[in-house]
């Protein structure tokens, strides 16, 4: 994919830029570049700390499981 629509860490739309530039921006900000919507034209990619995202998701899952009725 030569271009992606880029979303930054705060959720603001950066615009349609070359994939190489998006990767460079993510590395510069020390975050991960994650494909959000592959089916869109051009594909949508977001910059985020993926490790932190996975941690927060697992925390939410544990809370949901705690309140579950057997």
């Amino acid at each position: 994919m030569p271009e992606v629509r880029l979303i930054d860490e705060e959720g603001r739309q950066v615009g349609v830029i070359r994939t190489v530039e998006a990767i460079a921006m993510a590395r510069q900000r020390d975050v991960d570049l994650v494909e959000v919507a592959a089916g869109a034209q051009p594909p949508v990619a977001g910059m985020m700390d993926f490790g932190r995202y996975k941690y927060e998701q697992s925390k939410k899952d544990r809370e949901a499981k705690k309140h579950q009725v057997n």
Side-chain angles (χ1 to χ4, degrees):
M1 71 188 94
E3 295 181 329
V4 294
R5 182 173 306 275
L6 186 63
I7 310 295
D8 68 4
E9 308 90 75
E10 284 85 41
R12 293 186 303 245
Q13 193 172 131
V14 176
V16 178
I17 63 172
R18 291 187 359 213
T19 306
V20 177
E21 292 175 17
I23 293 169
M25 285 177 67
R27 284 187 180 151
Q28 183 181 18
R29 297 179 185 192
D30 197 30
V31 293
D32 301 308
L33 186 67
V34 180
E35 189 174 43
V36 178
Q41 196 61 27
V44 179
M47 290 190 287
M48 69 172 69
D49 184 353
F50 195 68
R52 180 176 168 202
Y53 171 78
K54 291 289 284 184
Y55 170 73
E56 289 174 359
Q57 282 299 112
S58 69
K59 213 165 124 177
K60 285 180 187 177
D61 291 344
R62 282 193 305 265
E63 277 297 312
K65 193 174 184 179
K66 193 187 293 185
H67 298 290
Q68 193 176 45
V69 177
N70 290 336

